[in-house]
Amino acid sequence: MVKGNTRFNHLKREYVFPIIEQKLADIKSSYPDAEFLNLGIGDVTLPLAPSISNAIQQAALNMTKPGQMYGYGPSQGYGFLRKAISSHKYPFLSPEEIFISDGINTDIVNILDLFHSSCRVAIPNPSYPAYLDSNILVGRKRKIVWMPCNEKTGFVPEPAKGKVDLIYLCSPHNPTGVAMTRNRLAAFVSYAKEHDALLLYDNAYEAFVTSNDVPRSIYEIPGAQDVAIEFCSFSKSAGFTGLRCSYTVIPKTVTALFGKNLHCLYKIWLKRQSIKFNGVAYPIQKGQEATFKPQGQAELESQISYYLAQAKSLKAGLKAQGYTCFGGEDAPYIWWKTPRKDLSSWDFFDLLLKKCRLISVPGSGFGTEGTGFIRLSAFTSPEVVEKALKQIKNLNLS
Ligand code: PLP
């Protein structure tokens, strides 16, 4: 018999989304005509911006013409897109240091190919679940150090005590919806320099940053270019959750020890990508390029403002009803504290589903420090926010 990878047996956390789907299916079978308000999964709801759609269509159309067919592309991504990213967002870097991919999720889990199995890893608690699962799957179950993100820490992590090698950071943070200020991030850059550690900076929600003291890239922090890899996604910023496009930045100054020799990680990642990845579709990369043109920028700004407006109304509405919630200023998520100590995340989820017909995500699904919270997503419309707040009012729990 072929032997399976037993590390899959170590994936013990609660997989909330299938449970949510089951609970929803159960309640829908009892109330088939009821309308459910979805503030659960963080997926975009607005239509694709016209300039992106046009660029994708045009690219596909051009491929029908002789001599304009695009087959296998470069695994690092086409130069036109890497140049657009470097000139708009990282003028201090070269296109060689930028790698196009089909989503941050892909690169965040695959980046682990680059590191020795002995590396100790710090992960925020709660956090995006792929950080933990991917480390367990590469055999790092006993090498994980948690960085709590709770009321005491302001819902973002603080550098771990003692020595770790890899540090996951996500700012604005999913699920708490709180972003790290310049000072908080600078503490991690100092830690990384002092301890020869590397920051794996998940920047999925950069487009939602509005606060002046919150950087939009880790490289705004002096010294970060030596110690940080940044992952940026077009999923939430440009509606690419289904189209799939993202990029990873590995400055030439980021290095690691391979045996006795120091190597630049961008070269090792290039090697890894050329072995294991065949690139993102040409029309999708053309669509992505359109996001850097003036029309694309204007369309996306208006989409981001729309989602942030829902976050603002949701948070203000909950606070006006006496509830305690966090986040939502620089992120499309609200982190809502359950109104009574005896209500767990799942109890509160069930109550909102049954009494308010509202779908949320229990905070405990993102880590133990998420217990006692639920996450609401602002990827929705003003109508849904208004209805949700009205239905929550009937709960009378605050
Ligand atoms: N990182 C965080 C924090 C996320 O919230 C998400 C998606 O929800 C991802 C990564 C995955 O993004 P992508 O769609 O680019 O794979």
Side-chain angles (χ1 to χ4, degrees), residues 356-371:
C356 307
R357 304 278 186 260
L358 184 70
I359 306 162
S360 59
V361 183
S364 53
F366 298 96
T368 50
E369 294 285 347
T371 305

Side-chain angles (χ1 to χ4, degrees), residues 61-101:
L61 206 61
N62 287 347
M63 285 172 67
T64 64
K65 296 176 188 154
Q68 293 196 46
M69 176 59 185
Y70 285 83
Y72 288 123
S75 57
Q76 189 170 359
Y78 285 102
F80 65 79
L81 182 54
R82 290 186 288 113
K83 271 189 205 131
I85 294 169
S86 73
S87 66
H88 280 85
K89 310 203 92 169
Y90 307 94
F92 48 89
L93 295 177
S94 72
E96 272 179 292
E97 294 157 288
I98 291 162
F99 297 79
I100 310 300
S101 185

Side-chain angles (χ1 to χ4, degrees), residues 103-105 128 131 170 174 202 204-205 233 235-236 244 246 333:
I104 285 190
N105 196 90
Y128 185 65
Y131 309 153
C170 176
N174 179 14
D202 181 338
Y205 296 97
S233 178
S235 285
K236 311 295 164 86
R244 312 303 297 147
S246 67
Y333 299 121

Side-chain angles (χ1 to χ4, degrees), residues 41-43 101-108 127-131 169-175 202-205 231-236 240-242 244-247 333 366 375 379:
I41 194 158
D43 199 355
S101 185
D102 60 359
I104 285 190
N105 196 90
T106 312
D107 283 8
I108 266 179
S127 62
Y128 185 65
Y131 309 153
L169 292 178
C170 176
S171 177
H173 191 59
N174 179 14
D202 181 338
N203 206 9
Y205 296 97
F231 303 88
C232 279
S233 178
F234 297 109
S235 285
K236 311 295 164 86
F240 273 65
T241 50
R244 312 303 297 147
C245 200
S246 67
Y247 62 90
Y333 299 121
F366 298 96
R375 191 194 75 177
F379 290 110

Side-chain angles (χ1 to χ4, degrees), residues 110-322:
N110 288 333
I111 201 82
L112 296 177
D113 280 359
L114 269 48
F115 305 109
H116 197 270
S117 57
S118 64
C119 288
R120 276 161 57 83
V121 185
I123 302 180
N125 181 358
S127 62
Y128 185 65
Y131 309 153
L132 171 64
D133 290 350
S134 54
N135 274 282
I136 290 176
L137 289 178
V138 296
R140 241 184 238 121
K141 188 177 156 228
R142 294 185 202 290
K143 307 271 179 214
I144 290 162
V145 174
W146 292 111
M147 298 183 290
C149 305
N150 50 32
E151 273 183 280
K152 240 165 74 189
T153 70
F155 299 104
V156 286
E158 287 170 348
K161 306 245 174 329
K163 157 90 176 134
V164 294
D165 303 288
L166 301 171
I167 302 169
Y168 286 85
L169 292 178
C170 176
S171 177
H173 191 59
N174 179 14
T176 66
V178 177
M180 297 178 78
T181 58
R182 215 160 247 111
N183 284 345
R184 299 287 297 253
L185 276 174
F188 275 99
V189 171
S190 303
Y191 176 97
K193 292 225 154 200
E194 193 182 321
H195 294 87
D196 281 331
L198 187 65
L199 307 178
L200 301 175
Y201 190 71
D202 181 338
N203 206 9
Y205 296 97
E206 166 248 322
F208 294 86
V209 170
T210 56
S211 303
N212 286 335
D213 61 344
V214 172
R216 293 186 68 146
S217 161
I218 185 75
Y219 304 121
E220 288 182 33
I221 308 295
Q225 263 188 72
D226 302 331
V227 293
I229 294 179
E230 179 161 293
F231 303 88
C232 279
S233 178
F234 297 109
S235 285
K236 311 295 164 86
S237 62
F240 273 65
T241 50
L243 294 170
R244 312 303 297 147
C245 200
S246 67
Y247 62 90
T248 292
V249 183
I250 311 184
K252 289 183 179 172
T253 38
V254 172
T255 55
L257 209 50
F258 291 77
K260 288 195 174 124
N261 302 319
L262 211 56
H263 283 290
C264 294
L265 281 183
Y266 86 102
K267 284 195 179 160
I268 307 289
W269 182 243
L270 183 60
K271 192 173 278 182
R272 188 265 172 216
Q273 290 297 78
S274 57
I275 297 167
K276 295 195 180 180
F277 186 58
N278 267 354
V280 173
Y282 171 74
I284 298 298
Q285 294 194 53
K286 285 309 270 183
Q288 203 49 79
E289 187 191 27
T291 67
F292 294 105
K293 299 193 171 151
Q295 191 192 338
Q297 298 262 296
E299 288 166 352
L300 296 186
E301 256 173 47
S302 113
Q303 294 198 345
I304 299 293
S305 307
Y306 176 88
Y307 292 132
L308 281 173
Q310 312 331 325
K312 201 171 176 183
S313 334
L314 205 47
K315 190 173 180 184
L318 290 174
K319 286 198 157 181
Q321 292 186 34

